[in-house]
Amino acid sequence: MDADACPVKDEVLRVAERYGCPVTMVSNQGVRAATHPLVRAVLADGGWDAADDWIAEHARPGDVVVTADVPLAARCLEAGAAVLGPTGRPFTRQTIGMALAMRDLNRHLRETGEGGGGPGRFTKSDRSAFLGALDRAVKAARTPRAGD
């Protein structure tokens, strides 16, 4: 999990407890849930993107990565991991190109004064959608595939 400013830490822990899955929370600043027995907290040193770099370098097939960072999502998909945004939206090989393009477009609009603020408010509906999507992603990651 990309734990810096992640709004769904509690939901990740709920799903982890349900399935007995370990969770790695990676941040540049430290993690408040670090004392949970299923949590491994990683404090990434080395600059602004250190946590993203750590996550991308350690992502593997069978992992479920939680991040709102689109370039990080692309790197994790390339490594074979499943990736979810905090609203439950999955990033996939089919959708990541459009997500990267929209990110760049929105950045350009903000730089030229045409764009609005950041993302909208995080809602109960977003939290619920994330819980369902994470549950499905963990189940899929735990299901052996043919040839494994």
Side-chain angles (χ1 to χ4, degrees), residues 35-140:
T35 59
H36 193 284
L38 290 173
V39 173
R40 173 182 173 211
V42 174
L43 181 59
D45 292 340
W48 183 257
D49 289 330
D52 294 352
D53 291 341
W54 193 98
I55 293 167
E57 289 166 10
H58 290 85
R60 302 284 181 266
D63 290 346
V64 178
V65 175
V66 177
T67 185
D69 185 298
V70 178
L72 174 58
R75 294 170 66 190
C76 293
L77 286 169
E78 188 64 32
V83 185
L84 287 177
T87 61
R89 180 183 67 144
F91 291 101
T92 67
R93 291 185 185 274
Q94 294 75 25
T95 64
I96 196 66
M98 180 62 78
L100 286 164
M102 290 303 297
R103 175 188 175 271
D104 291 343
L105 174 62
N106 288 330
R107 184 181 64 218
H108 174 73
L109 291 173
R110 281 191 306 276
E111 288 170 355
T112 60
E114 298 294 323
R121 269 191 52 207
F122 192 76
T123 67
K124 280 186 174 184
S125 175
D126 293 331
R127 200 170 297 283
S128 178
F130 174 79
L131 263 172
L134 182 59
D135 193 80
R136 289 187 298 278
V138 169
K139 282 181 187 175

